Structures are given as structure tokens and as C-alpha cells.
Amino acid sequence: MHKRRVHTGEKPYKCEECNWRGVDSSSLIHHRKRHKGEAAKKEKAAAAAAAAAAANSACKILSLISLILHFWWKMYMVLEYANNPRILTN
Ligand SMILES: [Zn+2]
């Protein structure tokens, strides 16, 4: 028969991450699993945020490149037109 500690208020198993206290190791293990789940969730959220930030910066870089290319192409066309005005009429 499983015997429980009868002394009320005696909770020798303490969680290191919060103020939780428990009377047996199995409930502590059960409790610690919750922290692991939270940590995994936080890790996932952080990874998602990092990926979003990377995608955002990649998007910014791409739009900057396209802006530069567009500008460069315009300049090129202007210079080409200046060198050879017939280029657009033909
Ligand atoms: Zn805890």
C-alpha cells in the first residue's frame, strides 16, 4: 500500500524554476514537464520571430536591390538615349 507523508505542509520537492513545491518526486517530475513545454513553446516562438525577422530583412534587401537595379536601368537608358537619340524611335 502506498503510504503518503502525513505531516501536512511538508513539501520537500521544490521546483528550481518557480515557487512550486510538492510532496513527492513524481508530481515534481510532472510539474517540471510543464516548464519544459513552456520552454519549447518559447523556443519555437523565438525561432519563428527570428525567421520572420530574417525574411523581413531579406525582403528589404531584395526590394533595395530591385530599387538599385531599377535606378541603374533608368540611368543606363538615359545614358544610352543621350549617346544615341534614335534608340527609342527605332
Ligand atoms: Zn516550476
Side-chain angles (χ1 to χ4, degrees), residues 5-20:
R5 285 165 195 268
V6 284
H7 186 68
T8 49
E10 189 189 344
K11 290 176 178 176
Y13 294 95
K14 189 179 170 290
C15 176
E16 288 160 21
E17 290 172 66
C18 70
N19 291 324
W20 184 92

Side-chain angles (χ1 to χ4, degrees), residues 4-90:
R4 282 185 168 271
R5 285 165 195 268
V6 284
H7 186 68
T8 49
E10 189 189 344
K11 290 176 178 176
Y13 294 95
K14 189 179 170 290
C15 176
E16 288 160 21
E17 290 172 66
C18 70
N19 291 324
W20 184 92
R21 277 176 174 274
V23 287
D24 53 43
S25 60
S26 65
S27 62
L28 176 61
I29 288 163
H30 185 78
H31 169 82
R32 292 297 295 265
K33 274 180 186 171
R34 210 161 63 187
H35 282 306
K36 273 184 187 174
E38 280 168 10
K41 258 187 203 173
K42 271 181 194 170
E43 225 166 82
K44 267 188 186 176
N56 195 35
S57 69
C59 193
K60 272 182 187 167
I61 288 164
L62 277 175
S63 71
L64 190 69
I65 287 167
S66 91
L67 202 75
I68 289 163
L69 277 174
H70 193 81
F71 180 75
W72 178 83
W73 177 248
K74 256 186 172 174
M75 286 303 290
Y76 175 78
M77 288 303 283
V78 166
L79 288 171
E80 275 294 292
Y81 184 72
N83 287 337
N84 188 5
R86 282 173 298 173
I87 198 168
L88 295 177
T89 55
N90 194 8

